[in-house]
Amino acid sequence: MVKGAVRLFIEKGFHRTTTREIAKESGFSIGTLYEYIRSKEDILYLVCDAIYEEVRDRLAYHLNTNNEGIDRLKKAVAAYFQVIHDMQDEVLVMYQEAKSLPKEALSYVLQKEVEMTEMIEKVIRDCAKEGVINVDDDARVKLVAHNILVQGHMWTFRRWQIQKHFSLEEYTALQVEQLLQGVDHRPI
């Protein structure tokens, strides 16, 4: 159901997509669909939740490495950008349509974003503890982590222009270079 809904939301947008179309795209009857959900907003919630879970799980997998020092941060950024690249349609739908979620569901979905940011924060803190970057306070760690997430999103949101000029590898290398300049990178 989630994949079918994403395809339709990409093609038509959330508001122009009907539950009947989602049921058909997902291979369900409309009656069967309503056994699982109450509204189209419930489908959007499931879509957003599934996307965040997949991004988080894939990112966690890539962060569980034996890399140390600055290589760990570089690999974390590259892994995150790769996940966003692989799921760019889903990420785009999620960000465009999440505003249509009921307040409680939106709060839950936004908490998933906080959890992903915290994963990146941990990598940054580990690098700071190792002395390979100079990020000296919690506010700065948070800002660097948010910047990394936004740079990943930019690959999707501005793909119509950025992907004309850069491969993912080139984009990642340039973003990592800029990131390291901002955190006073010291080679080990």
Side-chain angles (χ1 to χ4, degrees):
M1 178 174 47
V2 168
K3 292 201 181 293
V6 166
R7 280 191 296 276
L8 289 168
F9 294 164
I10 290 167
E11 181 184 321
K12 299 177 72 170
F14 172 73
H15 293 292
R16 290 183 306 188
T17 301
T18 67
T19 51
R20 187 171 303 285
E21 291 169 324
I22 294 169
K24 182 179 179 185
E25 183 74 16
S26 304
F28 296 129
S29 70
I30 191 74
T32 302
L33 184 68
Y34 277 113
E35 289 179 26
Y36 297 100
I37 56 111
R38 292 172 298 177
S39 67
K40 188 166 66 167
E41 287 76 14
D42 288 347
I43 297 170
L44 180 59
Y45 167 79
L46 292 172
V47 165
C48 290
D49 188 50
I51 292 168
Y52 268 118
E53 287 297 313
E54 186 168 348
V55 170
R56 185 187 54 100
D57 290 349
R58 290 175 64 183
L59 183 58
Y61 172 78
H62 288 290
L63 293 181
N64 285 332
T65 66
N66 294 328
N67 293 316
E68 293 181 2
I70 206 64
D71 283 339
R72 183 162 188 228
L73 182 58
K74 289 178 178 179
K75 298 269 188 205
V77 171
Y80 175 67
F81 286 9
Q82 183 65 55
V83 169
I84 295 301
H85 172 77
D86 293 346
M87 298 182 65
Q88 42 190 309
D89 287 337
E90 291 89 343
V91 169
L92 189 61
V93 164
M94 183 180 58
Y95 277 98
Q96 287 176 332
E97 305 299 354
K99 66 188 176 292
S100 299
L101 288 168
K103 188 177 181 179
E104 185 177 303
L106 181 59
S107 293
Y108 173 81
V109 166
L110 293 177
Q111 180 59 38
K112 299 280 190 175
E113 183 86 12
V114 170
E115 292 169 11
M116 283 195 326
T117 306
E118 290 170 348
M119 293 169 73
I120 299 294
E121 287 176 23
K122 182 180 180 330
V123 174
I124 295 166
R125 282 190 185 90
D126 289 348
C127 287
K129 284 178 191 170
E130 293 173 19
V132 296
I133 61 173
N134 183 22
V135 181
D136 51 2
D137 63 38
D138 194 54
R140 200 155 169 229
V141 167
K142 288 184 179 304
L143 186 58
V144 170
H146 282 285
N147 281 337
I148 291 168
L149 264 69
V150 169
Q151 290 167 351
H153 298 156
M154 186 167 65
W155 179 252
T156 292
F157 299 152
R158 306 251 332 143
R159 65 185 174 185
W160 57 273
Q161 187 63 27
I162 290 176
Q163 293 181 24
K164 288 180 186 175
H165 301 285
F166 306 101
S167 69
L168 179 61
E169 293 75 20
E170 292 167 333
Y171 178 80
T172 301
L174 288 169
Q175 291 292 9
V176 167
E177 180 182 320
Q178 286 186 344
L179 166 69
L180 293 178
Q181 288 173 359
V183 294
D184 189 23
H185 165 244
R186 285 174 260 163
I188 53 174

